[in-house]
Amino acid sequence: MQIVAVGPEPVGLIAIGSNATGILAVGQLATGVVAVGQLATGVVAVGQLARGGIVVGQLALGLVSIGQVSVGVCWSAGLVGIGATSGPGLILGLFGRLSLLRLIGRAGGLLQVAGRGVSDGEDLEDEPGRAAELAEAGGAGGPVNAPALKPWRVAVRVAVTVALAAVWWFGAGASLMDALTQSGGIPIDAPQER
């Protein structure tokens, strides 16, 4: 095995060529831990039709993806796409937008939401404009009550997320796992000295 391999089908720690395979692979059909190329497949993949774990590309399919058309199982951002959670762009986030502040639970200016929303005996679940209101408790503001999601909505969101995971597995995950684990695939061992 070579440290740097260049050619039409190179295999090495760093591989550069049309069908490159390596820890760092650059080429049209690059496959590697870090893959850069037109049809890149990698744990980190960058390319026009990129697929893998963390993916950046024009058409991106990954666990975390950023691209013009982006499909991300966990998070997706870009021009258009879908993901369990979304970032910037016209992305359908099945479980909403995910920001760093929301991730650590410190959304600025928002009160903590708990329980099922009821205001003056009204059910707020079907009124999007009245999703959260302050309860009056002796004249002082109390906890914020918000409507609970209907079980069928949660089931649909979970089912679509599972479908996204299946699409990812058959479109990228299985081939990436095969490339990472097969004999003669991505060289993950140090080169042998002679």
Side-chain angles (χ1 to χ4, degrees):
M1 174 179 48
Q2 299 176 352
I3 292 179
V4 177
V6 178
E9 293 188 15
V11 176
L13 292 177
I14 300 173
I16 301 169
S18 63
N19 196 7
T21 303
I23 299 295
L24 173 62
V26 179
Q28 187 173 4
L29 296 169
T31 302
V33 175
V34 177
V36 179
Q38 189 171 3
L39 293 167
T41 302
V43 176
V44 176
V46 178
Q48 191 172 4
L49 299 169
R51 57 194 188 142
I54 300 172
V55 180
V56 178
Q58 191 171 1
L59 297 172
L61 173 64
L63 295 173
V64 173
S65 65
I66 301 170
Q68 255 182 335
V69 177
S70 176
V71 177
V73 176
C74 300
W75 186 81
S76 182
L79 187 59
V80 295
I82 188 170
T85 59
S86 67
L90 295 173
I91 306 295
L92 173 60
L94 299 169
F95 294 98
R97 291 207 180 271
L98 185 64
S99 65
L100 182 60
L101 291 176
R102 183 175 173 197
L103 188 62
I104 60 174
R106 299 177 187 256
L110 297 177
L111 298 172
Q112 187 172 4
V113 176
R116 180 174 173 80
V118 177
S119 174
D120 298 329
E122 295 180 45
D123 186 5
L124 300 176
E125 189 168 4
D126 295 324
E127 297 183 33
R130 299 181 63 195
E133 293 183 7
L134 290 175
E136 291 185 8
V144 173
N145 292 322
L149 288 174
K150 292 183 179 179
W152 70 268
R153 288 183 180 174
V154 173
V156 168
R157 291 174 183 184
V158 169
V160 173
T161 302
V162 168
L164 286 176
V167 166
W168 174 81
W169 177 254
F170 292 112
S175 63
L176 180 60
M177 188 62 88
D178 185 46
L180 289 172
T181 58
Q182 75 176 351
S183 169
I186 297 173
I188 56 175
D189 295 331
Q192 300 292 326
E193 293 186 26
R194 294 179 191 216

